[in-house]
Short mmCIF file of all heavy atoms in Angstrom, two decimals:
data_model
loop_
_atom_site.label_atom_id
_atom_site.label_comp_id
_atom_site.label_asym_id
_atom_site.label_seq_id
_atom_site.Cartn_x
_atom_site.Cartn_y
_atom_site.Cartn_z
N THR M 19 -84.95 -60.94 76.32
CA THR M 19 -83.52 -60.82 76.06
C THR M 19 -83.15 -61.47 74.74
O THR M 19 -83.43 -62.64 74.50
CB THR M 19 -82.71 -61.49 77.20
OG1 THR M 19 -83.04 -60.85 78.42
CG2 THR M 19 -81.22 -61.37 76.94
N ASP M 20 -82.54 -60.70 73.87
CA ASP M 20 -82.04 -61.21 72.59
C ASP M 20 -80.53 -61.12 72.64
O ASP M 20 -79.96 -60.03 72.58
CB ASP M 20 -82.60 -60.37 71.43
CG ASP M 20 -82.10 -60.87 70.08
OD1 ASP M 20 -81.68 -62.04 70.01
OD2 ASP M 20 -82.15 -60.09 69.12
N ILE M 21 -79.86 -62.25 72.76
CA ILE M 21 -78.42 -62.26 72.95
C ILE M 21 -77.72 -62.74 71.68
O ILE M 21 -77.87 -63.89 71.28
CB ILE M 21 -78.03 -63.19 74.12
CG1 ILE M 21 -78.76 -62.76 75.39
CG2 ILE M 21 -76.53 -63.19 74.34
CD1 ILE M 21 -78.58 -63.71 76.54
N PRO M 22 -76.99 -61.86 70.99
CA PRO M 22 -76.25 -62.28 69.80
C PRO M 22 -75.30 -63.43 70.12
O PRO M 22 -74.68 -63.45 71.18
CB PRO M 22 -75.48 -61.02 69.39
CG PRO M 22 -76.23 -59.89 70.03
CD PRO M 22 -76.77 -60.46 71.31
N SER M 23 -75.18 -64.37 69.21
CA SER M 23 -74.37 -65.56 69.49
C SER M 23 -72.89 -65.23 69.67
O SER M 23 -72.17 -65.99 70.30
CB SER M 23 -74.53 -66.57 68.33
OG SER M 23 -74.11 -65.98 67.10
N ASP M 24 -72.42 -64.11 69.11
CA ASP M 24 -71.00 -63.79 69.22
C ASP M 24 -70.69 -62.92 70.43
O ASP M 24 -69.55 -62.55 70.65
CB ASP M 24 -70.50 -63.10 67.94
CG ASP M 24 -71.29 -61.83 67.63
OD1 ASP M 24 -72.29 -61.58 68.32
OD2 ASP M 24 -70.89 -61.11 66.71
N ARG M 25 -71.70 -62.57 71.21
CA ARG M 25 -71.46 -61.76 72.40
C ARG M 25 -71.32 -62.71 73.58
O ARG M 25 -72.24 -62.96 74.34
CB ARG M 25 -72.60 -60.77 72.61
CG ARG M 25 -72.31 -59.76 73.72
CD ARG M 25 -73.38 -58.68 73.77
NE ARG M 25 -73.25 -57.73 72.69
CZ ARG M 25 -74.04 -56.66 72.53
NH1 ARG M 25 -75.00 -56.44 73.38
NH2 ARG M 25 -73.85 -55.83 71.52
N ILE M 26 -70.13 -63.28 73.73
CA ILE M 26 -69.96 -64.38 74.66
C ILE M 26 -70.22 -63.99 76.10
O ILE M 26 -70.64 -64.82 76.90
CB ILE M 26 -68.54 -64.99 74.54
CG1 ILE M 26 -67.47 -63.94 74.87
CG2 ILE M 26 -68.32 -65.58 73.18
CD1 ILE M 26 -66.09 -64.51 75.02
N THR M 27 -69.97 -62.74 76.45
CA THR M 27 -70.17 -62.35 77.84
C THR M 27 -71.64 -62.36 78.24
O THR M 27 -71.95 -62.27 79.41
CB THR M 27 -69.60 -60.93 78.10
OG1 THR M 27 -70.24 -60.00 77.23
CG2 THR M 27 -68.11 -60.91 77.90
N GLN M 28 -72.55 -62.50 77.26
CA GLN M 28 -73.96 -62.56 77.57
C GLN M 28 -74.58 -63.90 77.18
O GLN M 28 -75.79 -64.06 77.20
CB GLN M 28 -74.71 -61.42 76.88
CG GLN M 28 -74.27 -60.04 77.34
CD GLN M 28 -74.38 -59.87 78.84
OE1 GLN M 28 -75.29 -60.37 79.48
NE2 GLN M 28 -73.42 -59.19 79.43
N ALA M 29 -73.75 -64.89 76.81
CA ALA M 29 -74.27 -66.22 76.52
C ALA M 29 -74.74 -66.85 77.82
O ALA M 29 -74.14 -66.67 78.87
CB ALA M 29 -73.17 -67.07 75.88
N ARG M 30 -75.81 -67.60 77.76
CA ARG M 30 -76.42 -68.13 78.98
C ARG M 30 -75.61 -69.26 79.61
O ARG M 30 -75.86 -69.64 80.75
CB ARG M 30 -77.84 -68.58 78.68
CG ARG M 30 -78.75 -67.40 78.35
CD ARG M 30 -80.09 -67.82 77.83
NE ARG M 30 -80.89 -66.64 77.48
CZ ARG M 30 -82.04 -66.69 76.83
NH1 ARG M 30 -82.52 -67.84 76.44
NH2 ARG M 30 -82.69 -65.59 76.56
N ASP M 31 -74.68 -69.81 78.88
CA ASP M 31 -73.84 -70.87 79.47
C ASP M 31 -72.41 -70.38 79.71
O ASP M 31 -71.50 -71.16 79.92
CB ASP M 31 -73.82 -72.10 78.57
CG ASP M 31 -73.33 -71.79 77.16
OD1 ASP M 31 -73.03 -70.61 76.88
OD2 ASP M 31 -73.24 -72.72 76.34
N CYS M 32 -72.24 -69.05 79.69
CA CYS M 32 -70.91 -68.47 79.92
C CYS M 32 -70.81 -67.95 81.35
O CYS M 32 -71.68 -67.22 81.82
CB CYS M 32 -70.64 -67.32 78.94
SG CYS M 32 -69.07 -66.48 79.23
N VAL M 33 -69.73 -68.34 82.04
CA VAL M 33 -69.44 -67.83 83.37
C VAL M 33 -68.18 -66.98 83.27
O VAL M 33 -67.12 -67.47 82.88
CB VAL M 33 -69.21 -68.96 84.39
CG1 VAL M 33 -68.90 -68.38 85.77
CG2 VAL M 33 -70.43 -69.87 84.46
N ILE M 34 -68.30 -65.69 83.57
CA ILE M 34 -67.15 -64.79 83.53
C ILE M 34 -66.45 -64.85 84.88
O ILE M 34 -67.04 -64.52 85.91
CB ILE M 34 -67.58 -63.34 83.24
CG1 ILE M 34 -68.48 -63.28 82.00
CG2 ILE M 34 -66.36 -62.44 83.07
CD1 ILE M 34 -69.17 -61.95 81.81
N VAL M 35 -65.21 -65.30 84.87
CA VAL M 35 -64.43 -65.40 86.10
C VAL M 35 -63.43 -64.25 86.13
O VAL M 35 -62.55 -64.16 85.27
CB VAL M 35 -63.69 -66.75 86.20
CG1 VAL M 35 -62.94 -66.86 87.53
CG2 VAL M 35 -64.66 -67.91 86.04
N GLN M 36 -63.57 -63.36 87.11
CA GLN M 36 -62.66 -62.23 87.25
C GLN M 36 -61.79 -62.48 88.48
O GLN M 36 -62.30 -62.64 89.59
CB GLN M 36 -63.46 -60.93 87.38
CG GLN M 36 -64.30 -60.67 86.12
CD GLN M 36 -65.23 -59.50 86.25
OE1 GLN M 36 -65.13 -58.53 85.52
NE2 GLN M 36 -66.16 -59.57 87.17
N THR M 37 -60.49 -62.52 88.25
CA THR M 37 -59.55 -62.92 89.30
C THR M 37 -58.95 -61.70 90.00
O THR M 37 -59.04 -60.58 89.49
CB THR M 37 -58.43 -63.79 88.69
OG1 THR M 37 -57.77 -63.03 87.66
CG2 THR M 37 -58.98 -65.07 88.10
N PRO M 38 -58.35 -61.89 91.17
CA PRO M 38 -57.81 -60.76 91.94
C PRO M 38 -56.87 -59.88 91.12
O PRO M 38 -56.00 -60.37 90.40
CB PRO M 38 -57.06 -61.45 93.08
CG PRO M 38 -57.78 -62.74 93.27
CD PRO M 38 -58.17 -63.17 91.88
N GLY M 39 -57.07 -58.57 91.23
CA GLY M 39 -56.21 -57.62 90.54
C GLY M 39 -56.59 -57.36 89.10
O GLY M 39 -55.95 -56.54 88.43
N CYS M 40 -57.63 -58.03 88.59
CA CYS M 40 -57.98 -57.86 87.18
C CYS M 40 -58.71 -56.55 86.95
O CYS M 40 -59.34 -55.99 87.85
CB CYS M 40 -58.82 -59.03 86.67
SG CYS M 40 -60.59 -58.82 86.95
N LYS M 41 -58.64 -56.06 85.71
CA LYS M 41 -59.42 -54.92 85.26
C LYS M 41 -60.15 -55.36 84.00
O LYS M 41 -59.52 -55.84 83.07
CB LYS M 41 -58.52 -53.71 84.99
CG LYS M 41 -57.88 -53.14 86.25
CD LYS M 41 -57.07 -51.90 85.94
CE LYS M 41 -56.46 -51.32 87.21
NZ LYS M 41 -55.66 -50.10 86.94
N ASN M 42 -61.45 -55.21 84.01
CA ASN M 42 -62.24 -55.74 82.92
C ASN M 42 -63.32 -54.75 82.49
O ASN M 42 -63.82 -53.98 83.30
CB ASN M 42 -62.90 -57.06 83.34
CG ASN M 42 -63.71 -57.70 82.22
OD1 ASN M 42 -63.29 -57.68 81.06
ND2 ASN M 42 -64.85 -58.25 82.55
N VAL M 43 -63.64 -54.78 81.21
CA VAL M 43 -64.73 -53.98 80.66
C VAL M 43 -65.77 -54.95 80.11
O VAL M 43 -65.45 -55.84 79.34
CB VAL M 43 -64.25 -53.06 79.52
CG1 VAL M 43 -65.43 -52.30 78.92
CG2 VAL M 43 -63.20 -52.10 80.02
#
């Protein structure tokens, strides 16, 4: 896995929190 530093959704210390009713891409 090569993860660009500016692609935060794939940073290994990033937790994406999706809350009720959200729509996300």
